[in-house]
Amino acid sequence: MHLIPLCLTVALTVLTVNQAKAAEPRLLGTHGDWSAYSFSENGNKVCYMASEPQKAEGNYTRRDKIYALVTHRPAEKTRDVFSYITGYPYKPGSEVTIKANGRTFKLFTQDDTAWTPDANADSSLAMAIRKGSSMVVKGTSKRGTLTTDTFGLSGSGKAYEAITRECGL
């Protein structure tokens, strides 16, 4: 998980509306399967927790790194924003299904990333991650390859507490 800070800085910067230059993330701590980070963007603090899957399944020959993230941006008045970087371009118009803590969530896709449709879904999914023991993510690549990624959720509650405290929420 030592590559997560660099990869996630790039991903979070790309996902930012204003495409601002981000400072190097600072590791707040590793908690089980999840790590917590913060960095400054345009003078504003951004805090996020991230994990990689314990198991990635699918009939593919090449796939980039895979990350699940929960991000707080207090200056933008956003918290619990869930994003999923899948390591391949999604099939246009496809949905991603996530099962966590007995709940099912549908995410929309664009390029190699999936998001929940709104802030309420973000909060519900963030809570399911903190309270659950595993999370299963299913998606379809633009080539039609089905993938199933399984994440451990051990330590997600503590990682969430760390990013929430760091961002003063």
mmCIF file with all atom_site columns, all heavy atoms in Angstrom, residues 66-81:
data_model
loop_
_atom_site.group_PDB
_atom_site.id
_atom_site.type_symbol
_atom_site.label_atom_id
_atom_site.label_alt_id
_atom_site.label_comp_id
_atom_site.label_asym_id
_atom_site.label_entity_id
_atom_site.label_seq_id
_atom_site.pdbx_PDB_ins_code
_atom_site.Cartn_x
_atom_site.Cartn_y
_atom_site.Cartn_z
_atom_site.occupancy
_atom_site.B_iso_or_equiv
_atom_site.pdbx_formal_charge
_atom_site.auth_seq_id
_atom_site.auth_comp_id
_atom_site.auth_asym_id
_atom_site.auth_atom_id
_atom_site.pdbx_PDB_model_num
ATOM 1   N N   . ILE A 1 66 ? -6.123  -0.587 -8.259 1.00 0.00 ? 66 ILE A N   1
ATOM 2   C CA  . ILE A 1 66 ? -7.533  -0.467 -7.890 1.00 0.00 ? 66 ILE A CA  1
ATOM 3   C C   . ILE A 1 66 ? -7.601  0.163  -6.497 1.00 0.00 ? 66 ILE A C   1
ATOM 4   O O   . ILE A 1 66 ? -6.901  -0.286 -5.591 1.00 0.00 ? 66 ILE A O   1
ATOM 5   C CB  . ILE A 1 66 ? -8.194  -1.862 -7.844 1.00 0.00 ? 66 ILE A CB  1
ATOM 6   C CG1 . ILE A 1 66 ? -7.928  -2.614 -9.141 1.00 0.00 ? 66 ILE A CG1 1
ATOM 7   C CG2 . ILE A 1 66 ? -9.673  -1.754 -7.528 1.00 0.00 ? 66 ILE A CG2 1
ATOM 8   C CD1 . ILE A 1 66 ? -8.090  -4.116 -9.008 1.00 0.00 ? 66 ILE A CD1 1
ATOM 9   N N   . TYR A 1 67 ? -8.470  1.196  -6.341 1.00 0.00 ? 67 TYR A N   1
ATOM 10  C CA  . TYR A 1 67 ? -8.595  1.871  -5.054 1.00 0.00 ? 67 TYR A CA  1
ATOM 11  C C   . TYR A 1 67 ? -10.043 2.211  -4.742 1.00 0.00 ? 67 TYR A C   1
ATOM 12  O O   . TYR A 1 67 ? -10.785 2.652  -5.619 1.00 0.00 ? 67 TYR A O   1
ATOM 13  C CB  . TYR A 1 67 ? -7.821  3.196  -5.041 1.00 0.00 ? 67 TYR A CB  1
ATOM 14  C CG  . TYR A 1 67 ? -6.359  3.046  -5.294 1.00 0.00 ? 67 TYR A CG  1
ATOM 15  C CD1 . TYR A 1 67 ? -5.815  3.413  -6.513 1.00 0.00 ? 67 TYR A CD1 1
ATOM 16  C CD2 . TYR A 1 67 ? -5.512  2.547  -4.321 1.00 0.00 ? 67 TYR A CD2 1
ATOM 17  C CE1 . TYR A 1 67 ? -4.458  3.292  -6.762 1.00 0.00 ? 67 TYR A CE1 1
ATOM 18  C CE2 . TYR A 1 67 ? -4.155  2.415  -4.562 1.00 0.00 ? 67 TYR A CE2 1
ATOM 19  C CZ  . TYR A 1 67 ? -3.634  2.783  -5.779 1.00 0.00 ? 67 TYR A CZ  1
ATOM 20  O OH  . TYR A 1 67 ? -2.304  2.648  -6.018 1.00 0.00 ? 67 TYR A OH  1
ATOM 21  N N   . ALA A 1 68 ? -10.412 2.048  -3.487 1.00 0.00 ? 68 ALA A N   1
ATOM 22  C CA  . ALA A 1 68 ? -11.663 2.578  -2.950 1.00 0.00 ? 68 ALA A CA  1
ATOM 23  C C   . ALA A 1 68 ? -11.276 3.732  -2.030 1.00 0.00 ? 68 ALA A C   1
ATOM 24  O O   . ALA A 1 68 ? -10.330 3.610  -1.244 1.00 0.00 ? 68 ALA A O   1
ATOM 25  C CB  . ALA A 1 68 ? -12.418 1.512  -2.173 1.00 0.00 ? 68 ALA A CB  1
ATOM 26  N N   . LEU A 1 69 ? -11.990 4.860  -2.147 1.00 0.00 ? 69 LEU A N   1
ATOM 27  C CA  . LEU A 1 69 ? -11.662 6.051  -1.363 1.00 0.00 ? 69 LEU A CA  1
ATOM 28  C C   . LEU A 1 69 ? -12.905 6.678  -0.751 1.00 0.00 ? 69 LEU A C   1
ATOM 29  O O   . LEU A 1 69 ? -13.977 6.656  -1.365 1.00 0.00 ? 69 LEU A O   1
ATOM 30  C CB  . LEU A 1 69 ? -11.025 7.121  -2.250 1.00 0.00 ? 69 LEU A CB  1
ATOM 31  C CG  . LEU A 1 69 ? -9.752  6.799  -2.966 1.00 0.00 ? 69 LEU A CG  1
ATOM 32  C CD1 . LEU A 1 69 ? -10.045 6.285  -4.354 1.00 0.00 ? 69 LEU A CD1 1
ATOM 33  C CD2 . LEU A 1 69 ? -8.908  8.048  -3.075 1.00 0.00 ? 69 LEU A CD2 1
ATOM 34  N N   . VAL A 1 70 ? -12.731 7.254  0.418  1.00 0.00 ? 70 VAL A N   1
ATOM 35  C CA  . VAL A 1 70 ? -13.733 8.115  1.038  1.00 0.00 ? 70 VAL A CA  1
ATOM 36  C C   . VAL A 1 70 ? -13.004 9.421  1.341  1.00 0.00 ? 70 VAL A C   1
ATOM 37  O O   . VAL A 1 70 ? -11.965 9.409  2.002  1.00 0.00 ? 70 VAL A O   1
ATOM 38  C CB  . VAL A 1 70 ? -14.311 7.497  2.322  1.00 0.00 ? 70 VAL A CB  1
ATOM 39  C CG1 . VAL A 1 70 ? -15.269 8.481  3.003  1.00 0.00 ? 70 VAL A CG1 1
ATOM 40  C CG2 . VAL A 1 70 ? -15.021 6.184  2.013  1.00 0.00 ? 70 VAL A CG2 1
ATOM 41  N N   . THR A 1 71 ? -13.553 10.544 0.844  1.00 0.00 ? 71 THR A N   1
ATOM 42  C CA  . THR A 1 71 ? -12.853 11.823 0.907  1.00 0.00 ? 71 THR A CA  1
ATOM 43  C C   . THR A 1 71 ? -13.695 12.907 1.575  1.00 0.00 ? 71 THR A C   1
ATOM 44  O O   . THR A 1 71 ? -14.895 13.011 1.324  1.00 0.00 ? 71 THR A O   1
ATOM 45  C CB  . THR A 1 71 ? -12.487 12.297 -0.525 1.00 0.00 ? 71 THR A CB  1
ATOM 46  O OG1 . THR A 1 71 ? -11.726 11.267 -1.167 1.00 0.00 ? 71 THR A OG1 1
ATOM 47  C CG2 . THR A 1 71 ? -11.687 13.577 -0.505 1.00 0.00 ? 71 THR A CG2 1
ATOM 48  N N   . HIS A 1 72 ? -13.024 13.720 2.410  1.00 0.00 ? 72 HIS A N   1
ATOM 49  C CA  . HIS A 1 72 ? -13.623 14.923 3.008  1.00 0.00 ? 72 HIS A CA  1
ATOM 50  C C   . HIS A 1 72 ? -12.920 16.143 2.408  1.00 0.00 ? 72 HIS A C   1
ATOM 51  O O   . HIS A 1 72 ? -11.690 16.181 2.347  1.00 0.00 ? 72 HIS A O   1
ATOM 52  C CB  . HIS A 1 72 ? -13.393 14.979 4.514  1.00 0.00 ? 72 HIS A CB  1
ATOM 53  C CG  . HIS A 1 72 ? -14.010 13.884 5.320  1.00 0.00 ? 72 HIS A CG  1
ATOM 54  N ND1 . HIS A 1 72 ? -15.180 13.238 5.002  1.00 0.00 ? 72 HIS A ND1 1
ATOM 55  C CD2 . HIS A 1 72 ? -13.596 13.336 6.490  1.00 0.00 ? 72 HIS A CD2 1
ATOM 56  C CE1 . HIS A 1 72 ? -15.461 12.349 5.940  1.00 0.00 ? 72 HIS A CE1 1
ATOM 57  N NE2 . HIS A 1 72 ? -14.515 12.377 6.849  1.00 0.00 ? 72 HIS A NE2 1
ATOM 58  N N   . ARG A 1 73 ? -13.693 17.137 2.004  1.00 0.00 ? 73 ARG A N   1
ATOM 59  C CA  . ARG A 1 73 ? -13.170 18.427 1.543  1.00 0.00 ? 73 ARG A CA  1
ATOM 60  C C   . ARG A 1 73 ? -13.954 19.512 2.272  1.00 0.00 ? 73 ARG A C   1
ATOM 61  O O   . ARG A 1 73 ? -14.940 20.038 1.747  1.00 0.00 ? 73 ARG A O   1
ATOM 62  C CB  . ARG A 1 73 ? -13.333 18.567 0.035  1.00 0.00 ? 73 ARG A CB  1
ATOM 63  C CG  . ARG A 1 73 ? -12.473 17.618 -0.776 1.00 0.00 ? 73 ARG A CG  1
ATOM 64  C CD  . ARG A 1 73 ? -12.766 17.780 -2.275 1.00 0.00 ? 73 ARG A CD  1
ATOM 65  N NE  . ARG A 1 73 ? -11.960 16.876 -3.042 1.00 0.00 ? 73 ARG A NE  1
ATOM 66  C CZ  . ARG A 1 73 ? -10.740 17.153 -3.520 1.00 0.00 ? 73 ARG A CZ  1
ATOM 67  N NH1 . ARG A 1 73 ? -10.220 18.335 -3.313 1.00 0.00 ? 73 ARG A NH1 1
ATOM 68  N NH2 . ARG A 1 73 ? -10.081 16.256 -4.200 1.00 0.00 ? 73 ARG A NH2 1
ATOM 69  N N   . PRO A 1 74 ? -13.534 19.856 3.493  1.00 0.00 ? 74 PRO A N   1
ATOM 70  C CA  . PRO A 1 74 ? -14.307 20.815 4.294  1.00 0.00 ? 74 PRO A CA  1
ATOM 71  C C   . PRO A 1 74 ? -14.497 22.177 3.618  1.00 0.00 ? 74 PRO A C   1
ATOM 72  O O   . PRO A 1 74 ? -15.559 22.778 3.758  1.00 0.00 ? 74 PRO A O   1
ATOM 73  C CB  . PRO A 1 74 ? -13.508 20.959 5.586  1.00 0.00 ? 74 PRO A CB  1
ATOM 74  C CG  . PRO A 1 74 ? -12.481 19.898 5.568  1.00 0.00 ? 74 PRO A CG  1
ATOM 75  C CD  . PRO A 1 74 ? -12.376 19.350 4.201  1.00 0.00 ? 74 PRO A CD  1
ATOM 76  N N   . ALA A 1 75 ? -13.514 22.662 2.890  1.00 0.00 ? 75 ALA A N   1
ATOM 77  C CA  . ALA A 1 75 ? -13.647 23.967 2.231  1.00 0.00 ? 75 ALA A CA  1
ATOM 78  C C   . ALA A 1 75 ? -14.751 23.955 1.184  1.00 0.00 ? 75 ALA A C   1
ATOM 79  O O   . ALA A 1 75 ? -15.360 24.996 0.903  1.00 0.00 ? 75 ALA A O   1
ATOM 80  C CB  . ALA A 1 75 ? -12.323 24.387 1.599  1.00 0.00 ? 75 ALA A CB  1
ATOM 81  N N   . GLU A 1 76 ? -15.036 22.779 0.617  1.00 0.00 ? 76 GLU A N   1
ATOM 82  C CA  . GLU A 1 76 ? -16.111 22.640 -0.367 1.00 0.00 ? 76 GLU A CA  1
ATOM 83  C C   . GLU A 1 76 ? -17.404 22.139 0.278  1.00 0.00 ? 76 GLU A C   1
ATOM 84  O O   . GLU A 1 76 ? -18.378 21.863 -0.409 1.00 0.00 ? 76 GLU A O   1
ATOM 85  C CB  . GLU A 1 76 ? -15.679 21.677 -1.483 1.00 0.00 ? 76 GLU A CB  1
ATOM 86  C CG  . GLU A 1 76 ? -14.506 22.189 -2.284 1.00 0.00 ? 76 GLU A CG  1
ATOM 87  C CD  . GLU A 1 76 ? -14.001 21.180 -3.303 1.00 0.00 ? 76 GLU A CD  1
ATOM 88  O OE1 . GLU A 1 76 ? -14.723 20.213 -3.619 1.00 0.00 ? 76 GLU A OE1 1
ATOM 89  O OE2 . GLU A 1 76 ? -12.870 21.366 -3.783 1.00 0.00 ? 76 GLU A OE2 1
ATOM 90  N N   . LYS A 1 77 ? -17.348 22.008 1.617  1.00 0.00 ? 77 LYS A N   1
ATOM 91  C CA  . LYS A 1 77 ? -18.488 21.517 2.389  1.00 0.00 ? 77 LYS A CA  1
ATOM 92  C C   . LYS A 1 77 ? -18.952 20.134 1.924  1.00 0.00 ? 77 LYS A C   1
ATOM 93  O O   . LYS A 1 77 ? -20.148 19.844 1.871  1.00 0.00 ? 77 LYS A O   1
ATOM 94  C CB  . LYS A 1 77 ? -19.636 22.523 2.356  1.00 0.00 ? 77 LYS A CB  1
ATOM 95  C CG  . LYS A 1 77 ? -19.284 23.838 3.030  1.00 0.00 ? 77 LYS A CG  1
ATOM 96  C CD  . LYS A 1 77 ? -20.468 24.761 3.075  1.00 0.00 ? 77 LYS A CD  1
ATOM 97  C CE  . LYS A 1 77 ? -20.234 26.041 3.817  1.00 0.00 ? 77 LYS A CE  1
ATOM 98  N NZ  . LYS A 1 77 ? -18.999 26.672 3.857  1.00 0.00 ? 77 LYS A NZ  1
ATOM 99  N N   . THR A 1 78 ? -17.988 19.274 1.588  1.00 0.00 ? 78 THR A N   1
ATOM 100 C CA  . THR A 1 78 ? -18.311 17.896 1.234  1.00 0.00 ? 78 THR A CA  1
ATOM 101 C C   . THR A 1 78 ? -17.595 16.950 2.194  1.00 0.00 ? 78 THR A C   1
ATOM 102 O O   . THR A 1 78 ? -16.496 17.237 2.665  1.00 0.00 ? 78 THR A O   1
ATOM 103 C CB  . THR A 1 78 ? -17.918 17.541 -0.210 1.00 0.00 ? 78 THR A CB  1
ATOM 104 O OG1 . THR A 1 78 ? -16.506 17.639 -0.356 1.00 0.00 ? 78 THR A OG1 1
ATOM 105 C CG2 . THR A 1 78 ? -18.622 18.446 -1.212 1.00 0.00 ? 78 THR A CG2 1
ATOM 106 N N   . ARG A 1 79 ? -18.270 15.845 2.458  1.00 0.00 ? 79 ARG A N   1
ATOM 107 C CA  . ARG A 1 79 ? -17.682 14.805 3.292  1.00 0.00 ? 79 ARG A CA  1
ATOM 108 C C   . ARG A 1 79 ? -18.225 13.466 2.838  1.00 0.00 ? 79 ARG A C   1
ATOM 109 O O   . ARG A 1 79 ? -19.259 13.401 2.176  1.00 0.00 ? 79 ARG A O   1
ATOM 110 C CB  . ARG A 1 79 ? -17.950 15.044 4.774  1.00 0.00 ? 79 ARG A CB  1
ATOM 111 C CG  . ARG A 1 79 ? -19.420 14.952 5.143  1.00 0.00 ? 79 ARG A CG  1
ATOM 112 C CD  . ARG A 1 79 ? -19.708 15.243 6.600  1.00 0.00 ? 79 ARG A CD  1
ATOM 113 N NE  . ARG A 1 79 ? -19.023 14.321 7.466  1.00 0.00 ? 79 ARG A NE  1
ATOM 114 C CZ  . ARG A 1 79 ? -18.772 14.546 8.756  1.00 0.00 ? 79 ARG A CZ  1
ATOM 115 N NH1 . ARG A 1 79 ? -19.167 15.649 9.320  1.00 0.00 ? 79 ARG A NH1 1
ATOM 116 N NH2 . ARG A 1 79 ? -18.138 13.653 9.480  1.00 0.00 ? 79 ARG A NH2 1
ATOM 117 N N   . ASP A 1 80 ? -17.510 12.408 3.158  1.00 0.00 ? 80 ASP A N   1
ATOM 118 C CA  . ASP A 1 80 ? -17.930 11.036 2.855  1.00 0.00 ? 80 ASP A CA  1
ATOM 119 C C   . ASP A 1 80 ? -18.032 10.752 1.357  1.00 0.00 ? 80 ASP A C   1
ATOM 120 O O   . ASP A 1 80 ? -18.712 9.807  0.954  1.00 0.00 ? 80 ASP A O   1
ATOM 121 C CB  . ASP A 1 80 ? -19.289 10.711 3.491  1.00 0.00 ? 80 ASP A CB  1
ATOM 122 C CG  . ASP A 1 80 ? -19.278 10.778 4.998  1.00 0.00 ? 80 ASP A CG  1
ATOM 123 O OD1 . ASP A 1 80 ? -18.190 10.734 5.591  1.00 0.00 ? 80 ASP A OD1 1
ATOM 124 O OD2 . ASP A 1 80 ? -20.372 10.874 5.586  1.00 0.00 ? 80 ASP A OD2 1
ATOM 125 N N   . VAL A 1 81 ? -17.388 11.527 0.503  1.00 0.00 ? 81 VAL A N   1
ATOM 126 C CA  . VAL A 1 81 ? -17.497 11.313 -0.937 1.00 0.00 ? 81 VAL A CA  1
ATOM 127 C C   . VAL A 1 81 ? -16.773 10.022 -1.297 1.00 0.00 ? 81 VAL A C   1
ATOM 128 O O   . VAL A 1 81 ? -15.567 9.895  -1.103 1.00 0.00 ? 81 VAL A O   1
ATOM 129 C CB  . VAL A 1 81 ? -16.936 12.503 -1.741 1.00 0.00 ? 81 VAL A CB  1
ATOM 130 C CG1 . VAL A 1 81 ? -16.966 12.206 -3.238 1.00 0.00 ? 81 VAL A CG1 1
ATOM 131 C CG2 . VAL A 1 81 ? -17.726 13.762 -1.419 1.00 0.00 ? 81 VAL A CG2 1
#
